[in-house]
Every structure is written in C-alpha cells, then in structure tokens.
Amino acid sequence: MPNENQIALSQYRLKKSRQCVIAAKNNLFDGDYENSANRSYYAIFHAIRALLALDSLDFKKHSAVIAKFRELYVKTGEFDVKFSRMVGEAFDLRTDCDYEDFYVVSKQEVEEQLKNATAFLEEMEHYIEKRIKSCAL
C-alpha cells in the first residue's frame, strides 16, 4: 500500500509526463519532429516511473525502468501487452532520433508516437488514480 510520499512522488512524475506530452505536441506543431519524438518517449518514461513510485521502485537506467514495468505490470496482466510494445517503439524511435546520424523521422511516425504517448499516459493516470483510491478505502 503506497504511503503519502510515494503518492506525492507518483503525482509529481505524472505531472512531468503531462508536460512532456504538451512539449511533444508543440514540437510537432513547430515541425521539430526529432524533439517531439524525444518528448513523447519521456512522457511514457515518466508515466512508468510514476507507477513504479507507488512500489518504491526506481532505477537509473531506462532499460531497467522498462524491464521492471514489463515484469510487474505486463507479464502479470495488469496492462495489455500493447503498452509494452508502445514503450519499445517509443524507446527505439527516440534512440534513433537522438543518436543516429542523418536519421530522418517522418511526421507520421511522430504523430503515431504522440498518440501512443497520450494513450499510455491516460492509462497510467487511470490505473494510478484507481490504486490510490483503493488504498484510501
């Protein structure tokens, strides 16, 4: 059962996730596709960290955060496997945009990434809210 500090940290991380979604939308509107992909990925990443905060879990490496999400929430059936795929696709696209020389991301890819990040965040917010409410009962 999460305590007040865990809940506060989770809410803080959800706020960061929402801010990343807004930034991704603005970057997309401005035609800055690489940064939009980056912000969409970080929206997902911070949403996962918000979820893990409820269990007092955090990791320095992105791969560890993703692995723990898959282990605790996807493999157990808490979340559909499509959310695991969203994470993987977002990570791969962000990595390509950030580290591959001459990589050109399309508007369509970024729009899909933003759509997925938004859906991912909404699902995490719903789950976290439900979990917090169940503890208050």
Side-chain angles (χ1 to χ4, degrees), residues 80-94:
D80 190 276
V81 71
K82 73 180 180 182
F83 293 101
S84 178
R85 283 193 297 272
M86 286 180 189
V87 174
E89 290 169 5
F91 180 83
D92 290 345
L93 186 61
R94 193 271 311 187

Side-chain angles (χ1 to χ4, degrees), residues 25-39:
K25 287 178 185 176
N26 291 336
N27 290 141
L28 175 60
F29 179 79
D30 292 340
D32 188 356
Y33 301 151
E34 289 180 356
N35 280 321
S36 181
N38 178 286
R39 294 295 84 198

Side-chain angles (χ1 to χ4, degrees), residues 18-112:
R18 284 187 218 99
Q19 291 169 335
C20 287
V21 166
I22 291 167
K25 287 178 185 176
N26 291 336
N27 290 141
L28 175 60
F29 179 79
D30 292 340
D32 188 356
Y33 301 151
E34 289 180 356
N35 280 321
S36 181
N38 178 286
R39 294 295 84 198
S40 289
Y41 165 73
Y42 275 97
I44 291 171
F45 179 73
H46 290 306
I48 294 171
R49 290 183 69 228
L51 180 62
L52 294 176
L54 297 178
D55 295 314
S56 291
L57 294 171
D58 198 20
F59 304 91
K60 299 246 185 251
K61 292 184 171 250
H62 288 232
S63 59
V65 169
I66 293 167
K68 191 54 77 171
F69 168 71
R70 288 174 171 158
E71 175 190 337
L72 295 179
Y73 297 100
V74 177
K75 287 184 180 178
T76 61
E78 289 290 321
F79 292 101
D80 190 276
V81 71
K82 73 180 180 182
F83 293 101
S84 178
R85 283 193 297 272
M86 286 180 189
V87 174
E89 290 169 5
F91 180 83
D92 290 345
L93 186 61
R94 193 271 311 187
T95 301
D96 289 344
C97 287
D98 286 355
Y99 300 110
E100 292 297 322
D101 292 329
F102 308 112
Y103 184 81
V104 178
V105 64
S106 72
K107 181 179 182 182
Q108 182 180 6
E109 287 174 298
V110 174
E111 288 172 337
E112 184 68 22

